[in-house]
Each structure stands twice: as C-alpha cells, then as structure tokens.
Amino acid sequence: MKNTATLLICCPDRKGLVAAIANFLYTYNANILHADQHQDAAEGLFLMRVEWDLADFTLSIDAFGAAFQPIAERFGMQWKLALSANRPKMAIFVSKYDHCLVDLLYRHQSGELACDIPLIISNHDDTRRLAEFYGIPFHVINVTKDNKAESEAQQFALLEQYQVDFIVLARYMQVLSQEFVKRYPQRVINIHHSFLPAFEGAKPYHRAFERGVKLIGATSHYVTEVLDDGPIIEQDVIRISHRDSVEDLIQKGRDLEKVVLSRAVRWHVESRILEYAKKTVIFD
Amino acid sequence: MKNTATLLICCPDRKGLVAAIANFLYTYNANILHADQHQDAAEGLFLMRVEWDLADFTLSIDAFGAAFQPIAERFGMQWKLALSANRPKMAIFVSKYDHCLVDLLYRHQSGELACDIPLIISNHDDTRRLAEFYGIPFHVINVTKDNKAESEAQQFALLEQYQVDFIVLARYMQVLSQEFVKRYPQRVINIHHSFLPAFEGAKPYHRAFERGVKLIGATSHYVTEVLDDGPIIEQDVIRISHRDSVEDLIQKGRDLEKVVLSRAVRWHVESRILEYAKKTVIFD
Amino acid sequence: MKNTATLLICCPDRKGLVAAIANFLYTYNANILHADQHQDAAEGLFLMRVEWDLADFTLSIDAFGAAFQPIAERFGMQWKLALSANRPKMAIFVSKYDHCLVDLLYRHQSGELACDIPLIISNHDDTRRLAEFYGIPFHVINVTKDNKAESEAQQFALLEQYQVDFIVLARYMQVLSQEFVKRYPQRVINIHHSFLPAFEGAKPYHRAFERGVKLIGATSHYVTEVLDDGPIIEQDVIRISHRDSVEDLIQKGRDLEKVVLSRAVRWHVESRILEYAKKTVIFD
Amino acid sequence: MKNTATLLICCPDRKGLVAAIANFLYTYNANILHADQHQDAAEGLFLMRVEWDLADFTLSIDAFGAAFQPIAERFGMQWKLALSANRPKMAIFVSKYDHCLVDLLYRHQSGELACDIPLIISNHDDTRRLAEFYGIPFHVINVTKDNKAESEAQQFALLEQYQVDFIVLARYMQVLSQEFVKRYPQRVINIHHSFLPAFEGAKPYHRAFERGVKLIGATSHYVTEVLDDGPIIEQDVIRISHRDSVEDLIQKGRDLEKVVLSRAVRWHVESRILEYAKKTVIFD
C-alpha cells in the first residue's frame, strides 16, 4: 500500500482552476496517481478528486492547509484532504438481520475496506459471537419507544470514546433521531432494501411483491433528516418473476443489499464521494 | 410456422387439475409443444399456459368450447383460447417521439411480432412518412383540451372499422379517458419512462435526474383507470452516472423503452400474459 | 418446511406423457406444489420436474418405485426421486482463497441451502478457524505433484465415511484425477473465474485483463474429464473498465464467484438441474 | 451544439504533465467542458481526453499544432485534435442482415451520432430501399471468392471519392483483406455476435447453443489483421435459458448487437476512444 494523499474539491467552475491545482501539486513534486474531475454545466460547478503519492512530495502535510489556502480562497473552494495513513474509523450498527454485517466484516478482514472498525453497536445480542470471531468490540444498547434519547446518549458516548468517523447502518431497524443525524452529517450510511424512491419506508419487499414489479432493488444513501430521502450513493437491481414469493424476494434482496452497501462503504472510505445538490458524484 | 392453439387457464388450485387438462388434450391427440404452469400458494390459484400443434388434433376448433366446458365448470376456470392462425390486430398510437414506433415497425417487418398492424393513429403528422415506408395506414386525429371526447369518438370509429384487438401506446403523450380504458380492458399497453412505481406521472427523467438515482428504468404495463398504476408486464433499467445530463438520460432511456415495450407487445401477441391480483404472470 | 417429494424425468417426447404422470400422481392424491416441463424439439426430448406435498400422498415412498415403474418403462424414462426429508450431504473442498467457503457456510447457516455439510477438506490449514466457527469438521489433506493418488485415496475414504452425496470445489486449486471424476459423475460442482468458454484453464483474470474485455465473468459447472468443459449450471458477468487493474478484477470477480457458485449449489440441492446433451436445464 | 475542440493524448507518465497541458489551455483562455485522464501504472502511461469550448479560445486552430508542439515533444506525446465542426465521414458496409443498419440510420437521423454518412456499400441489393428512405447513396459491389481484390479496389475508389474517415461493418459478412485492414488502421469497427474471446469465427450463436452457455454476448472491436482479435471497444450480454432455441438466440442477440455497435460508433465519432497495448480506454 502506497502512502498517499487525496484532495476533494468543489467550487464554482472557472477558467484556470485545473492549471492552478496542477501547478500547486507540481511545485511540491507530487506524483499524481489518479485524477478525476467533473463539470456540472447546469449548476456551474467544478468537482475534483486527485490522489498523489506522498513519497516525493516536498510539502509537509502539516503545512498543506496554509500553502493551499490562497488557491482555495481565490476560487471559492470547499476542500477536504484525506491521508491513506489515517484510516477512518467506522462504527457498524446492526439489529438481528446479520447478512450485511457478515459481509462487511469479511471484506474488512480480507483487505477490501481500508478502514478500522473500533466497535459494533446493536440493539440485540444475536451477533455477538460473530463480532468476537472477528475480534471487534460489541456493545448492546437496548432501544425502546420510551428510551430513545437515553439510548442515543449511550451511543454518542461510545462513538466519541472510540473517535468514530462515520457510521454504517447495516440493516439497523431503528430510525435515528434528528439530533443524531445533525451530529453526523453525511457521515451515516444506510442501506434501504428497495430501488429508491420506490417503496420508501417500511416493508419494501412486501410492497414490491404486491405491486408486481419485475425487478427488486437496494439503495445505499447518506442519512438525512427526511426518511429514505438522503443523497443516493449506489443502487442496483435483480430480476424476479411470478415464481418468487415474498420470502424469495427477501432472500434475493439480501445479495443485493450486501453488494450495494459494501460499494458505498468502500467509496466513502476511499474519499471517492462528493455530495452536492442533494446528489453524489462518485469518482470511481 | 406451425398451426397451433394456446390455452390460458386461471382457476382455484385443486388436485386433479393437471390430470384433467392433460387427459382432455390427450383424448383429442394433441401434440403439446409448450406447457407452463404456476401455483400461487398465497392466493390459492392455479395458472397455466399450454400450446399444442393442431396438425394431429382431432377436435375441431369450433367444437372446442363445448367439449372443454365440463372441465372448465368443474374447476371454476377462466380460460381463453388463442389460435396462431388468427393473428391479433394491433393499433399503434404515437405522438412526436418516434423511437418506439420505429422499433415496433421494424420488428414487425422482420417477423418478430406475429400480429397485424392495420393502422397507426397519431395526434401529429410527423411520422406519416415512416408509416408509409412500412405500408401501414396512418391517421391523424388532433387532440386538444377541449375536444377529447370528440377525438376519442373518432379513434373508436377507426378501431372498430379495422377490428383492432389491442392498442399500443408507443410514447403517445395523451391520457386516455376512463371510457376509453373501460372499453379496452387489459388491451391497452403503455410504456412509461421510469422504473414504476418510482416517478409516476410527468417528466420522470427530469425527476430521476433531480433525485440523483444511479439507474434509470422503463416499465410497460396495461393501462387501467389510475395513471401508471396498471399491472406491470415488463421492466428494465440501465446504469447512469453524474456524467449524464437530463438529455443523456432521455437518450439512454430511449433504448430501454424500445426493448421493454417490444417484449411486452410480443408476450401479449403470443398469449404469454395472465393477469391476476393486479399483477401479471409471464409464461416465457 | 413442507415434507415434499420431487420427481425429475427425462425421456423421448411422446403424446400422453403428461397425462400419464398427472394421472399417476392424482391417483395417489398428490398435492402438486410446483411443476415445470420442457420439450426440446431439436432433440425430441421431454424433461420434467414436479414437486408435491407428501402430507396427503397415499402411496408410501418405499412403494413408489414399483408403482411408477410401468409408466417409466412405457415411456422409456430416466427418472430420479428426491425427498426433502433426505437432505443431501455436501463436502466442500477449498484451498487458500476463502470467499466462496465463507459465503456457502453463511448461506447454509441462514437456511438458504437445504443440505448438510458433514466436512470440509482442504490442502491448507488456513480456513480451519472458520470451519470451527460454523462447527464443521475440517480435514487437511496435503496434495503435491507426487502424492495425488495417495491424497485422493484419503479423500475417498473421508467422502465414504461421511456418506457424501456431492462435492463443491470452492476455489479448490487442484485438478481432480480422471478416477475422481468418474467416481462422482455429475456430482462435483466447480466455480471457474471466467465466462466460459472464454479463458479456460489457468489465470483467467490475468488473461481477461490482457485481452481488454469490458466484462468479466464466472461460471459454475459440473466437473467432467475435460478441464473446464463440463455442463454449465450458471454464469454471470460484471462490467469493468480501463480503471480496473488485475487486482480490481480479482476483487470484483470474487463477488461474482460467490453468487454464481451459491446459485448452482442451491439448484443442485433442490433437484432443479437436469443434464442432457452436455447442457443443463434449470427448473427454477 | 457548442463549437468545441477535443484533444486526445497518450505519453509516458511524468510529473508536470497535467500542469503543462492545463497551463497551455489556460494561456489561450480555453473554457474546459470535459476532462478525463487515466494513469496506467503497469505500463507507465498517461492518457487524457480534454474537450473545450472554442468560443473564447484565443489560439486559432490553424496555429494549434505549432503552439502545442513544444509540449508534445517535451513529454513524448502522441496526440490528436478533433473539432466538432469537422464531422467525421462514416461508410457503412452491410450484407443481408439489416438490423444494425436500421439502428445506425435511425440514430443518425435522430441526432445521436455526430457524423456524416456519405454512403452505404453492400454486396447485396436488399437494403437499397432503406438507404433511399434515409437519403443515403447506396452502392452494390458484388463479392465472390474470385473477385475479392477487384471488389475491394472498387470499394477503395468509393471510400476515397467520398473522403471516408472510418468504416462500420454492420454485420457485413465478408472478411476484409490484409491490405484493406492496413489501409484503415483503427478505422474499421466490426460487430461480432459473441462475447469475445469466446466463439471467435463463424456461427457463434450456434456454438453458444451447443455449449449450453447461460448468457450470450456481442462485441464491437477495431478490425486488425487477425480475425476477431482487434482491440475491444464495447461488449454486453443477455441472459438466455434452456427454453431458447438457436433462433431465439439469434433474435435476442440482434438487440445486443445493435446497442453494442451503436455505442462503439458513438464513442469513435466523439473521439472518446484511445487505443494502447491492444486495448481501448473509453473516456465516457
């Protein structure tokens, strides 16, 4: 694994932008590994992701902000720097359905996800043995209608204690409070078991079955204050037929959910996602 | 092309059904070419499609109804017999977007669709030259806010004159009246340019673009009295990305619309569709 | 789970076949749950799968063979009866790549695969801890160039001891001997990491990368005496681009391999596969 | 339609490349619309496509070469400039199967393909009426075993007369001579009706049917001196089953062939394809 830096930029589109960024990086002898950019003509926006090898880079990371600030101000940039050496810390929330959890833990172990998993939080004890197999601390926090504020307070305490950067809801069957969502803006990834915006809310497979659709889907998205309405990160579908019962939909959907959620997590971990206008750009 | 008969059956599921049908066909020396059946456990229904060669069949088609009636009554069957010799008559309704029309006419000419096309009806003159190229009578019936009843009366007259069996709305940009829909129940096929039930109604590509979905879809369905709510016959999707503008969505969507509509038309023509519980079974 | 019987039939296509089978089942009061049949016009063959509930069935399973034999002889049938109560015993062979093994064990535990897994055999010790987590006996049998006959003899002894019905090669990196293949005809399922017949043999991802294909695939098939040439059970593909390195292909391919192999295993377990003319019919 | 220039670059990857190009374009006040680049780490190559609006560009196109030459030499670039104002001239070669021809002509008419079609060449007269409908000159050149050199001489004369830039073989059933291929390097696009490298050569659908594959494919590629071996531009597949006869494969495959070929043509027309190491990079 190379030691790299990744810069994400979003700003109004103007001439000279790429030249300014490229000259800056060249000045400090950056060896660019990947660069991808997007101009949104309708919104007049410029979005960019550039990743470079830090081996020959002559600017210290501590001094990066001060050195880059003049360019950022000149072009009105929102920007973010991520270092491969700083692996983000991901908390996984799960309830009883464990297929997404199993999938994420295996992918993490096999090196697909360049993040750390300091803890798993569940409202049930069912997946404890699995967490232990992978050596991840496991915390049960019971959630009821009446104790949501209290249970979320416990969750916040754990998230801060473990310095968690982002949270993945791996089929976690509780709706987060507005406070929770505001606390982790664009830092909570959910998997919804439908092709959003179709079948928002509860029991999407049952409703897909009743409507008689010919494909079922899954959608990973950032959680916002409106249920199932956040920016979509990834979606996929699979074909079904009249031979499939609701149970078959649920089973086939599991394979979709796993794949769609894991792609979203991977792109988040690798700083490949830029959010704007309630949508996402994926630099893959 | 073989001279065949196709029987579609829907009834409560009961023991002895298949034996009764198979014995009936064997009695008259039917050479079964294709048979497909489906049991819906939740609804307690039995659905079947069976197609046989008429070459050795010893029962005359005129006598089929009387001979089959005792079985149909015993099991409470809804049934329908279709003959390959009686090609269904399809009317195509179109506005200005001509991609689905071009596709259907070409497939028809190349032998993919075993139906006749006695006429095309449009509210614009734009596709007349195309209709003439394929030698199909073309009728322009102007539709405005104020003359819908009158224009539909003209349409009904043409549909009756040409003895039309079913109607395909090939991106026809007018909503049919309730009266029209009631007159042709399960006999009007529409193509909607979204993955229903997402983006029902107007401008689905624009709304898909705004929502930031990662796949766009198309849906063919039977037209019912509720807009975009009829039984779904076929759906498909294609991947898009942030690089795609609304215009790109519209262009990519055209390919989907063509393929999805043509599959639905083919299945309808070949008596492969059974509707029940607001859904369709496709015996493909 | 219902207590069911499944009958697979393959024979020359003749009139009266369906009537004979349906009458036989009706005579003994079978409640048919699923029936699917296929006529291959080119080969003149009839293939059928029928599954019924044993609850009301008045013929004892022990007497089935004798009762069905006259029909089987009359029509020259090859047939096979499978009982849901007799779960097939599956051995998994694995080397170091563990993604397919992890996937199969999780699906088995979650109830997707109606079989038993009496043992795992590996030529390496790497996956022992995983096997123990799922409580499956784990045997290491070392394989070298020089000891193949000996190591296979050990494998045969274990397979017989555990009364194994079929074997899944979950990325097992050894070629089985002709003797092995003959001993388990149509009972060894392999996963090959390409879209066969493209890239048969070694290192398919590397060769796909070099050839510059735009999709990579995976293929599950029965093992025959010719490498990667057995009847194909299932295939699928995923899109790649110039941005993908060989390592990316390997990683993306893992998701394909898991899904494709698990479908093949499920269909085999549920007696949904009929082999003929070096091909498979899947009654799904 | 904007008046734009597109620059395609391929060279050894070195620091300062992007800065040099961006500075050059900024110097002449280019308004960059799209930029995409790719670093191939294994080959040590840098590949780029950049498209800009010519409205504000202060360098005349005639002077572009001289002005850019120093940068090109410094970095050892192969480069090519394409102007949206210079629509490429495409000749279509066709035999009797007309589905790809119909598709290309319709897409061209509807504005999807930003090229001119000065002529169609066929070895049969069958598609003349279609060519006339779209107003494209149509030439029949008979090809036999014995007159290949002579017939190609006639083809060359026409291609030169009409100043053709590239050739699309829309299911043209003749193999081009080595001389032809050398004359139009990377300028002849073919559609092969299989997922290459599976089923190279004749009758791929028949061979796919015999092998029992579960998906069929289509591949568009540049023609080189080895049959079906040129750099792949695009591929796609569609699922089939045991219910599909060879005729069904041929019919389903037609839809694939049309879509795959038209994507390749579009990318070629829009200068989105860079060829290297016998592969293609698609800047889409």
Side-chain angles (χ1 to χ4, degrees):
Chain A
M1 287 289 287
K2 283 180 173 164
N3 185 22
T4 71
T6 299
L7 184 61
L8 284 173
I9 295 170
C10 180
C11 64
D13 193 13
R14 275 172 43 195
K15 288 171 189 166
L17 256 168
V18 177
I21 298 164
N23 285 332
F24 176 84
L25 291 172
Y26 184 48
T27 300
Y28 297 106
N29 204 35
N31 182 17
I32 296 174
L33 300 172
H34 302 286
D36 201 356
Q37 64 194 74
H38 176 60
Q39 278 100 340
D40 186 305
E43 306 272 336
L45 282 176
F46 173 87
L47 306 111
M48 187 178 199
R49 179 186 188 272
V50 56
E51 182 175 4
W52 66 94
D53 196 330
L54 287 173
D56 301 338
F57 199 53
T58 58
L59 179 65
S60 85
I61 287 302
D62 291 343
F64 185 91
F68 191 64
Q69 195 57 25
I71 293 174
E73 280 179 12
R74 181 172 145 217
F75 290 98
M77 292 177 179
Q78 292 181 282
W79 62 277
K80 196 185 129 188
L81 188 74
L83 305 173
S84 66
N86 293 353
R87 289 163 65 93
K89 291 184 179 63
M90 167 172 78
I92 304 178
F93 280 39
V94 69
S95 293
K96 294 193 167 189
Y97 298 125
D98 61 357
H99 53 284
C100 286
L101 178 66
V102 166
D103 188 66
L104 288 171
L105 293 177
Y106 174 72
R107 288 180 196 272
H108 179 255
Q109 185 202 46
S110 65
E112 270 184 44
L113 303 174
C115 62
D116 292 332
I117 308 179
L119 83 161
I120 295 165
I121 292 178
S122 181
N123 53 337
H124 297 283
D125 201 55
D126 304 51
T127 55
R128 179 183 298 279
R129 198 174 155 255
L130 182 72
E132 287 171 356
F133 178 73
Y134 284 104
I136 314 280
F138 181 83
H139 298 264
V140 174
I141 298 178
N142 191 32
V143 182
T144 64
K145 279 179 195 167
D146 304 324
N147 79 345
K148 172 158 275 187
E150 189 188 331
S151 62
E152 287 197 348
Q154 291 178 55
Q155 293 169 354
F156 294 150
L158 283 169
L159 296 175
E160 275 160 37
Q161 177 191 334
Y162 287 100
Q163 297 175 286
V164 163
D165 293 300
F166 73 105
I167 296 148
V168 172
L169 307 182
R171 296 298 311 273
Y172 180 65
M173 306 303 276
Q174 300 288 331
V175 177
L176 303 185
S177 72
Q178 299 285 329
E179 194 200 335
F180 197 126
V181 174
K182 276 179 195 150
R183 208 162 170 140
Y184 289 92
Q186 224 188 313
R187 289 161 70 195
V188 182
I189 296 174
N190 187 38
I191 179 74
H192 184 75
H193 39 312
S194 83
F195 182 76
L196 288 175
F199 309 120
E200 297 168 341
K203 292 209 169 273
Y205 290 132
H206 290 77
R207 287 152 64 206
F209 180 80
E210 276 160 32
R211 182 63 184 90
V213 295
K214 301 298 185 184
L215 303 163
I216 55 169
T219 304
S220 59
H221 62 94
Y222 285 118
V223 175
T224 59
E225 285 145 27
V226 181
L227 187 69
D228 298 333
D229 188 56
I232 292 169
I233 305 171
E234 173 64 336
Q235 303 187 290
D236 217 335
V237 297
I238 195 170
R239 190 160 283 273
I240 57 166
S241 82
H242 59 270
R243 291 190 195 89
D244 291 302
S245 63
V246 173
E247 288 66 38
D248 294 325
L249 266 54
I250 291 170
Q251 185 232 307
K252 291 187 172 180
R254 283 200 296 258
D255 281 337
L256 270 185
E257 296 165 33
K258 289 189 284 191
V259 167
V260 168
L261 179 59
S262 72
R263 280 186 211 141
V265 169
R266 190 174 188 200
W267 292 335
H268 184 94
V269 164
E270 297 178 359
S271 297
R272 296 187 180 278
I273 310 177
L274 256 175
E275 187 193 343
Y276 80 103
K278 271 198 59 180
K279 300 195 277 191
T280 62
V281 168
I282 308 297
F283 292 119
D284 64 338
Chain B
M1 289 286 289
K2 283 180 172 162
N3 184 23
T4 70
T6 299
L7 183 62
L8 284 173
I9 294 170
C10 180
C11 63
D13 194 13
R14 276 172 43 195
K15 288 172 189 165
L17 256 168
V18 177
I21 298 163
N23 286 332
F24 175 84
L25 291 172
Y26 185 47
T27 299
Y28 297 105
N29 204 35
N31 182 17
I32 296 175
L33 301 173
H34 301 286
D36 202 355
Q37 64 194 73
H38 176 59
Q39 277 101 340
D40 186 306
E43 306 273 336
L45 281 178
F46 172 87
L47 306 109
M48 187 178 200
R49 179 187 188 273
V50 57
E51 182 176 4
W52 66 95
D53 196 329
L54 287 173
D56 301 338
F57 198 53
T58 58
L59 180 64
S60 84
I61 288 300
D62 291 342
F64 185 90
F68 191 64
Q69 195 58 25
I71 293 174
E73 278 178 15
R74 180 172 146 215
F75 289 99
M77 292 177 180
Q78 293 180 281
W79 62 276
K80 195 183 130 188
L81 187 74
L83 304 174
S84 65
N86 293 353
R87 289 162 66 93
K89 292 186 178 63
M90 167 172 78
I92 305 179
F93 280 40
V94 70
S95 293
K96 292 192 168 192
Y97 297 126
D98 62 356
H99 52 284
C100 286
L101 178 65
V102 167
D103 188 66
L104 288 172
L105 293 179
Y106 175 72
R107 288 180 197 273
H108 179 255
Q109 185 202 44
S110 66
E112 270 185 43
L113 302 175
C115 62
D116 292 332
I117 309 181
L119 85 161
I120 296 166
I121 292 178
S122 180
N123 53 338
H124 297 284
D125 200 56
D126 303 52
T127 54
R128 179 183 299 278
R129 199 174 154 255
L130 182 72
E132 286 170 358
F133 179 73
Y134 284 103
I136 315 279
F138 181 81
H139 297 265
V140 174
I141 297 177
N142 191 33
V143 182
T144 67
K145 278 179 194 166
D146 304 324
N147 77 347
K148 173 157 275 187
E150 189 188 330
S151 61
E152 288 198 346
Q154 291 177 54
Q155 293 169 353
F156 294 151
L158 283 170
L159 296 175
E160 276 161 36
Q161 177 192 334
Y162 287 99
Q163 296 177 287
V164 163
D165 293 302
F166 74 106
I167 297 149
V168 172
L169 307 181
R171 296 299 309 277
Y172 180 64
M173 306 303 276
Q174 300 289 331
V175 176
L176 303 185
S177 72
Q178 299 285 327
E179 193 201 335
F180 197 128
V181 175
K182 274 179 196 150
R183 208 159 168 143
Y184 289 92
Q186 223 188 313
R187 289 161 70 195
V188 182
I189 297 174
N190 186 39
I191 179 75
H192 184 75
H193 39 310
S194 84
F195 181 76
L196 288 176
F199 308 120
E200 295 167 344
K203 292 208 168 275
Y205 290 133
H206 290 78
R207 288 151 65 205
F209 180 80
E210 276 158 33
R211 182 61 186 91
V213 294
K214 301 298 185 185
L215 303 164
I216 53 168
T219 304
S220 58
H221 63 93
Y222 286 118
V223 175
T224 58
E225 285 145 29
V226 181
L227 187 69
D228 298 333
D229 188 55
I232 293 169
I233 305 171
E234 174 63 337
Q235 303 187 289
D236 217 335
V237 298
I238 196 169
R239 189 161 285 272
I240 56 166
S241 83
H242 59 271
R243 292 190 196 90
D244 291 301
S245 64
V246 173
E247 288 68 37
D248 294 325
L249 267 54
I250 290 170
Q251 186 230 308
K252 291 188 173 182
R254 282 201 295 259
D255 280 337
L256 270 185
E257 295 165 33
K258 288 189 286 192
V259 166
V260 168
L261 179 59
S262 72
R263 279 186 212 141
V265 170
R266 190 174 189 200
W267 292 335
H268 183 93
V269 164
E270 297 179 357
S271 297
R272 296 187 178 278
I273 310 177
L274 256 175
E275 188 192 343
Y276 79 103
K278 272 199 58 181
K279 301 194 277 191
T280 61
V281 168
I282 308 296
F283 292 119
D284 66 336
Chain C
M1 288 289 288
K2 283 180 172 161
N3 185 23
T4 70
T6 299
L7 183 61
L8 285 173
I9 295 170
C10 180
C11 64
D13 193 14
R14 276 173 42 196
K15 288 173 190 164
L17 257 168
V18 177
I21 297 163
N23 285 333
F24 175 84
L25 291 172
Y26 185 48
T27 299
Y28 296 105
N29 204 35
N31 182 17
I32 295 173
L33 300 172
H34 302 286
D36 202 355
Q37 64 194 75
H38 176 59
Q39 276 101 341
D40 187 305
E43 306 273 336
L45 281 176
F46 173 87
L47 306 109
M48 187 179 200
R49 179 187 189 271
V50 55
E51 182 175 4
W52 66 94
D53 196 331
L54 287 173
D56 301 338
F57 197 54
T58 58
L59 178 66
S60 85
I61 289 301
D62 291 343
F64 185 92
F68 191 64
Q69 194 57 25
I71 293 174
E73 280 179 12
R74 183 173 143 214
F75 289 98
M77 293 178 180
Q78 292 181 283
W79 63 276
K80 194 183 131 188
L81 188 74
L83 303 174
S84 65
N86 293 354
R87 289 163 65 94
K89 292 186 179 61
M90 167 172 79
I92 305 178
F93 280 40
V94 69
S95 292
K96 292 192 168 191
Y97 297 125
D98 61 357
H99 52 285
C100 285
L101 178 66
V102 166
D103 187 67
L104 288 172
L105 293 178
Y106 175 71
R107 287 180 197 272
H108 180 254
Q109 185 202 45
S110 66
E112 268 184 45
L113 302 175
C115 63
D116 292 332
I117 308 179
L119 84 159
I120 296 166
I121 293 178
S122 182
N123 53 337
H124 297 283
D125 201 56
D126 303 54
T127 55
R128 178 184 298 281
R129 199 175 154 255
L130 183 73
E132 287 171 357
F133 178 73
Y134 283 103
I136 314 279
F138 182 83
H139 298 264
V140 174
I141 298 177
N142 191 33
V143 183
T144 66
K145 279 180 194 168
D146 304 323
N147 78 347
K148 173 157 274 188
E150 190 189 330
S151 61
E152 287 198 347
Q154 290 177 55
Q155 292 169 354
F156 294 151
L158 283 169
L159 295 175
E160 274 161 37
Q161 177 193 334
Y162 286 101
Q163 296 176 286
V164 163
D165 293 301
F166 73 106
I167 296 149
V168 172
L169 308 182
R171 297 297 310 275
Y172 181 65
M173 307 302 277
Q174 299 289 330
V175 176
L176 304 185
S177 72
Q178 299 285 329
E179 192 200 336
F180 198 126
V181 174
K182 276 179 195 148
R183 206 161 171 141
Y184 289 92
Q186 223 188 314
R187 288 161 70 194
V188 182
I189 297 174
N190 186 39
I191 179 75
H192 184 74
H193 39 313
S194 84
F195 181 78
L196 287 176
F199 308 122
E200 296 168 343
K203 292 209 170 273
Y205 290 132
H206 289 78
R207 288 152 63 205
F209 180 80
E210 275 159 34
R211 182 63 185 89
V213 294
K214 301 298 184 183
L215 303 163
I216 53 168
T219 304
S220 59
H221 62 95
Y222 286 117
V223 175
T224 58
E225 285 145 29
V226 181
L227 187 69
D228 298 332
D229 188 55
I232 292 170
I233 306 171
E234 173 63 337
Q235 304 186 288
D236 218 335
V237 297
I238 195 170
R239 189 160 286 273
I240 58 166
S241 83
H242 58 271
R243 293 190 195 88
D244 291 301
S245 64
V246 173
E247 288 67 37
D248 293 325
L249 266 54
I250 291 170
Q251 185 231 308
K252 291 188 173 182
R254 282 201 294 259
D255 280 337
L256 270 185
E257 295 165 33
K258 288 189 286 192
V259 167
V260 168
L261 179 58
S262 71
R263 279 187 212 140
V265 170
R266 191 177 188 201
W267 292 334
H268 183 94
V269 164
E270 297 179 357
S271 297
R272 295 186 180 279
I273 310 177
L274 256 175
E275 189 192 343
Y276 79 104
K278 271 199 59 180
K279 301 197 275 192
T280 62
V281 169
I282 309 296
F283 292 118
D284 64 336
Chain D
M1 288 288 289
K2 284 181 172 161
N3 184 22
T4 71
T6 299
L7 185 60
L8 284 174
I9 294 170
C10 180
C11 63
D13 194 13
R14 276 171 44 195
K15 287 171 191 167
L17 254 169
V18 177
I21 298 164
N23 285 333
F24 175 84
L25 291 172
Y26 185 47
T27 300
Y28 298 105
N29 204 36
N31 182 16
I32 296 173
L33 300 173
H34 301 285
D36 201 356
Q37 64 194 74
H38 175 60
Q39 278 101 339
D40 186 306
E43 306 273 336
L45 282 176
F46 173 88
L47 305 111
M48 186 178 200
R49 179 187 188 272
V50 57
E51 182 175 4
W52 66 95
D53 196 329
L54 287 173
D56 301 338
F57 198 53
T58 59
L59 179 65
S60 85
I61 288 302
D62 290 344
F64 185 90
F68 190 64
Q69 194 57 26
I71 293 175
E73 279 178 13
R74 182 172 145 217
F75 291 98
M77 291 177 180
Q78 293 180 280
W79 63 275
K80 195 185 129 187
L81 188 74
L83 304 173
S84 65
N86 293 353
R87 290 163 64 94
K89 292 186 179 60
M90 167 172 78
I92 305 178
F93 280 40
V94 69
S95 293
K96 292 194 168 191
Y97 297 125
D98 62 356
H99 53 285
C100 286
L101 177 67
V102 167
D103 188 67
L104 288 171
L105 292 178
Y106 175 72
R107 288 179 196 274
H108 180 256
Q109 184 202 46
S110 66
E112 269 184 44
L113 302 175
C115 62
D116 292 332
I117 308 179
L119 83 161
I120 295 165
I121 292 178
S122 181
N123 53 338
H124 296 283
D125 200 57
D126 304 51
T127 55
R128 179 183 297 279
R129 198 173 156 255
L130 182 72
E132 286 170 358
F133 179 72
Y134 283 104
I136 315 278
F138 181 83
H139 297 264
V140 174
I141 297 178
N142 191 32
V143 183
T144 64
K145 278 180 195 167
D146 304 323
N147 78 346
K148 174 158 272 188
E150 188 188 331
S151 61
E152 288 198 348
Q154 291 178 55
Q155 293 169 354
F156 294 151
L158 283 170
L159 295 175
E160 274 161 38
Q161 177 192 334
Y162 286 101
Q163 296 177 286
V164 162
D165 293 300
F166 73 105
I167 296 149
V168 173
L169 308 181
R171 297 299 310 276
Y172 181 64
M173 307 302 277
Q174 299 289 331
V175 177
L176 303 184
S177 72
Q178 299 285 329
E179 193 201 335
F180 196 126
V181 175
K182 275 179 195 148
R183 209 163 170 137
Y184 289 93
Q186 223 188 311
R187 289 161 71 194
V188 182
I189 297 174
N190 186 39
I191 179 75
H192 185 75
H193 39 311
S194 83
F195 181 78
L196 289 175
F199 308 121
E200 296 167 343
K203 292 210 169 271
Y205 290 133
H206 290 77
R207 286 151 65 205
F209 179 81
E210 275 160 32
R211 182 63 184 90
V213 295
K214 301 299 186 183
L215 303 163
I216 54 168
T219 305
S220 59
H221 63 95
Y222 285 118
V223 174
T224 58
E225 286 145 27
V226 181
L227 187 69
D228 298 332
D229 188 56
I232 292 169
I233 305 171
E234 174 63 338
Q235 302 186 289
D236 217 334
V237 297
I238 195 169
R239 189 161 285 275
I240 57 166
S241 83
H242 59 272
R243 290 189 198 91
D244 291 301
S245 63
V246 174
E247 288 68 37
D248 294 326
L249 267 54
I250 291 170
Q251 186 231 307
K252 290 187 174 183
R254 282 200 296 257
D255 280 338
L256 271 184
E257 295 165 34
K258 289 189 285 190
V259 167
V260 168
L261 178 60
S262 71
R263 280 187 211 139
V265 170
R266 192 177 187 198
W267 293 335
H268 184 93
V269 164
E270 298 179 357
S271 297
R272 297 186 178 279
I273 310 178
L274 257 174
E275 187 192 343
Y276 80 103
K278 271 200 56 180
K279 300 195 276 190
T280 62
V281 169
I282 308 295
F283 292 118
D284 65 337

